[in-house]
Amino acid sequence: MARGRFITVEGGEGAGKSTNIACIAERLRAAGLRVRLTREPGGTPLAEEIRALLLATRDEEVCGEAEVLLMFAARMQHVERVIRPALERGEWVLCDRFADASIAYQGAGRGLGMARVQALRDLLLGDFGPDLTLLLDLPVALGMRRVDGRGAPDRFEREQAAFFERVRAGYHTLAAAEPQRFRVIDASRELPQVRAAVLAAIEDFVAGCGDAR
């Protein structure tokens, strides 16, 4: 049985990840592929509990080091219990965020240093990572306008624009370093245009995989 493929979708607040992930899953299934949808932090009962801890607003300030370690604790449970087994069964795993998010959010956004978080990723994950990453990119101000009024903000959504500017810059650095893996999509456009660009990238990737079913 051919190994499945691992696709991640990254981006800042308001980038439209959920909408586009659903569209990607539909297209992959239409191509006859078995698809596993999942997210980070989360994806298993334990990882979802850690997600709730991370997103909850609280009076106690959470230091960046504790935050990134919780992210990777959830991630390792997710990888070992869900992602690796699904790939070995030949499923295509489509994940809302992965380790790039920690490098961008905690490494760049929190100021821990991208290299430090990348070293943690390398220590825990080795050479395991996505085959394709779609980065939905848009200006921070537009993303914040899109999420405004969407409901009670979580702990991350309460951050100031300067934090998200650092996150966006971190993502750009990652994409520039691995152009063979990243596809940067302009998510500031209207949804039909973004969707068309996303699906074009997916179809190109699937075609390049050959007979992966």
Side-chain angles (χ1 to χ4, degrees), residues 76 84 118-129:
M76 296 312 298
R84 283 191 197 271
Q118 285 171 318
L120 180 60
R121 176 202 62 189
D122 294 344
L123 173 67
L124 295 175
L125 293 170
D127 60 0
F128 180 83

Side-chain angles (χ1 to χ4, degrees), residues 37-135:
L37 278 171
T38 190
R39 68 176 182 177
E40 288 216 343
T44 79
L46 174 57
E48 290 290 338
E49 289 183 34
I50 297 173
R51 178 189 180 91
L53 285 173
L54 284 162
L55 298 186
T57 57
R58 61 186 73 250
D59 294 331
E60 179 184 4
E61 183 177 353
V62 181
C63 72
E65 289 83 357
E67 185 175 273
V68 76
L69 289 172
L70 284 169
M71 288 287 186
F72 272 95
R75 179 164 299 126
M76 296 312 298
Q77 185 73 4
H78 189 205
V79 167
E80 296 305 321
R81 295 291 178 266
V82 175
I83 299 177
R84 283 191 197 271
L87 292 172
E88 290 168 2
R89 290 192 300 267
E91 298 176 28
W92 284 47
V93 177
L94 180 56
C95 190
D96 183 341
R97 301 195 193 280
F98 193 61
D100 294 309
S102 294
I103 298 167
Y105 274 78
Q106 284 76 50
R110 296 291 186 215
L112 296 183
M114 294 177 64
R116 291 178 68 200
V117 181
Q118 285 171 318
L120 180 60
R121 176 202 62 189
D122 294 344
L123 173 67
L124 295 175
L125 293 170
D127 60 0
F128 180 83
D131 299 296
L132 172 70
T133 297
L134 301 183
L135 173 57

Side-chain angles (χ1 to χ4, degrees), residues 138-191:
L138 78 169
V140 168
L142 174 58
M144 295 181 77
R145 286 198 300 271
R146 286 181 177 178
V147 301
D148 186 39
R150 195 167 62 179
D154 62 37
R155 192 171 61 85
F156 285 92
E157 292 170 341
R158 292 174 180 268
E159 291 291 342
Q160 299 300 307
F163 171 80
F164 294 114
E165 292 288 0
R166 294 192 297 272
V167 170
R168 187 186 185 200
Y171 272 130
H172 284 182
T173 298
L174 290 170
E178 293 189 67
Q180 73 283 0
R181 173 166 68 90
F182 275 87
R183 302 292 183 273
V184 181
I185 307 294
D186 180 0
S188 68
R189 296 172 293 177
E190 295 297 320
L191 179 58

